[in-house]
Each structure stands twice: as structure tokens, then as C-alpha cells.
Amino acid sequence: MDMKEQKKQDQEIFEKRMKESERRPGMEIRRRHRRRVNVWLVIGVIVLILLLLLWLTWADLLGDTDVGNFIEVAH
């Protein structure tokens, strides 16, 4: 497939999607927004899990894994 055929095919796909989005206003935007939110949610969850593992590893290395005792000593 040469470049002209590829460009024509891409243009046809674009026009088809534009016609579909005209029939359902906002659907394409909502889908993209939802996908973007899901990506950030997954990234946030992964960061929180890594922080939890780091915290637990550090506590284990220090020998301070009794959280209830730590809270009583602090107050």
C-alpha cells in the first residue's frame, strides 16, 4: 500500500468517525475522558501500593511492626 492509498484510507476512517460522533454528540469525548481517568487511577493505585510496600519493608528492617504500640507511645 503506497502513501496515497494509506492517506485516503485514513481520511475515510476519520470522516466515518466524525459522522458517527455527529449522531452521538459527546460520546467520543466521554470515551477518551474515561480512558484517561482510568489510566491515572491505575497509576495512583500502583504508587500507593509501592509506598505501602516501602513503608512495611522499612518498618520490618527497624523491627517496628507493632502499629498499635507505636500509636500508644506517640500519645
Side-chain angles (χ1 to χ4, degrees), residues 1-13:
M1 183 179 283
D2 67 342
M3 294 295 281
K4 287 184 180 183
E5 290 176 4
Q6 181 66 37
K7 192 172 183 179
K8 183 178 178 182
Q9 186 179 17
D10 290 344
Q11 183 65 28
E12 289 172 357
I13 292 171

Side-chain angles (χ1 to χ4, degrees), residues 12-54:
E12 289 172 357
I13 292 171
F14 175 76
E15 289 173 2
K16 181 181 174 186
R17 287 185 180 169
M18 288 301 290
K19 286 179 184 177
E20 288 176 0
S21 66
E22 288 172 1
R23 281 186 266 147
R24 297 172 295 159
M27 285 299 288
E28 191 69 28
I29 293 170
R30 276 188 236 136
R31 274 194 208 124
R32 269 187 273 149
H33 179 68
R34 192 174 302 145
R35 192 175 307 131
R36 192 175 13 199
V37 170
N38 287 341
V39 169
W40 284 111
L41 181 65
V42 168
I43 290 171
V45 167
I46 290 171
V47 167
L48 288 175
I49 290 171
L50 289 174
L51 286 173
L52 177 65
L53 290 174
L54 180 68

Side-chain angles (χ1 to χ4, degrees), residues 46-70:
I46 290 171
V47 167
L48 288 175
I49 290 171
L50 289 174
L51 286 173
L52 177 65
L53 290 174
L54 180 68
W55 176 45
L56 292 174
T57 303
W58 184 253
D60 191 41
L61 288 173
L62 295 177
D64 186 20
T65 57
D66 187 7
V67 177
N69 187 30
F70 177 75

